[in-house]
Amino acid sequence: MDRRTDDDVLDAVGPRLRALRRDRGITLAALAATTGVSESTLSRLESGRRRATLELLLPLARTYDVPLDDLVGAPHTGDPRIHLKPMRRFGMTFVPLSRRPGGIHAFKMIIPARPEPREPTPQTHEGFEWLYVLSGHLRLVLGERDLTLPPGEAAEFDTSLPHWLGGADGGVVELLILFGPQGVRSHVRAGPHRSSHGGSRR
């Protein structure tokens, strides 16, 4: 049973916020610009000189994309069920499978069926990504490579390379994704492999 008092929980918020920000590689100035909370207020909040309030924590939870409970370290209720909250981005569905702030994040990603193939629009960002195709055929455009991955295939790549994910044949694609910030890599490795579908494992 969690015997912490409310003061104990609130006193732990500042160090947790500082660790999360540093783990994400975000400066106080950048965080202030994103959240609308002044840099001095954020600094006092992290050092414990400012008591956490809902007004301050809500924009931080949105910016870090974590549940509010994770920021305050709320005690577990004893309910073992995980309440997943799907998100829709870029026309695809992302189901977060991990709740731990920072480090490697796990997602289930669902790419919907399309009657016409999408035109690839490669993007870049900091981080490292590992993916595993559960069902369907994934088209992975990575730099100058255009790969098709069938179910059971995996790929791992630095997301600073231009990359794009989509359906290879117009059908639904389901995959698992592990994403880590720059410098954090998963320990799963896949050797070179050619499939009959023209894809390769990296």
Side-chain angles (χ1 to χ4, degrees):
M1 184 173 66
D2 196 312
R3 297 182 182 277
R4 294 176 299 169
T5 66
D6 290 346
D7 284 341
D8 291 335
V9 172
L10 290 173
D11 288 343
V13 171
R16 184 176 292 104
L17 291 175
R18 181 187 294 113
L20 179 57
R21 178 177 59 80
R22 289 177 176 176
D23 188 64
R24 298 289 179 91
I26 303 174
T27 65
L28 279 173
L31 187 60
T34 302
T35 61
V37 180
S38 72
E39 190 173 344
S40 61
T41 296
L42 292 171
S43 177
R44 292 199 302 274
L45 184 61
E46 289 187 359
S47 66
R49 290 177 292 151
R50 176 70 180 266
R51 185 54 63 96
T53 64
L54 190 60
E55 183 182 10
L56 293 174
L57 292 177
L58 281 175
L60 289 170
R62 284 194 294 266
T63 298
Y64 290 133
D65 194 22
V66 298
L68 191 61
D69 285 355
D70 285 359
L71 295 186
V72 300
H76 295 295
T77 62
D79 186 344
R81 293 173 298 177
I82 299 175
H83 302 284
L84 304 177
K85 297 181 179 179
M87 303 174 292
R88 285 192 59 81
R89 294 179 179 173
F90 317 114
M92 297 175 284
T93 300
F94 294 81
V95 182
L97 303 177
S98 59
R99 293 166 54 89
R100 176 179 172 270
I104 293 179
H105 288 264
F107 297 89
K108 180 178 181 180
M109 178 178 170
I110 303 170
I111 303 174
R114 295 179 62 91
E116 298 292 334
R118 295 176 59 197
E119 185 67 26
T121 54
Q123 305 290 327
T124 63
H125 53 86
E126 290 192 353
F128 211 86
E129 188 164 299
W130 178 90
L131 60 82
Y132 177 85
V133 182
L134 295 170
S135 64
H137 289 79
L138 175 72
R139 180 183 180 189
L140 170 62
V141 176
L142 182 63
E144 297 181 354
R145 305 183 70 182
D146 195 334
L147 310 171
T148 296
L149 280 69
E153 287 267 275
E156 185 177 21
F157 55 89
D158 187 329
T159 55
S160 64
L161 289 172
H163 60 281
W164 177 87
L165 307 177
D169 54 13
V172 176
V173 184
E174 296 187 8
L175 57 152
L176 292 178
I177 291 179
L178 298 181
F179 174 78
Q182 192 64 37
V184 177
R185 299 178 59 163
S186 73
H187 296 290
V188 179
R189 292 291 182 273
H193 170 72
R194 282 284 169 190
S195 74
S196 59
H197 298 275
S200 69
R201 190 183 308 184
R202 299 186 73 246

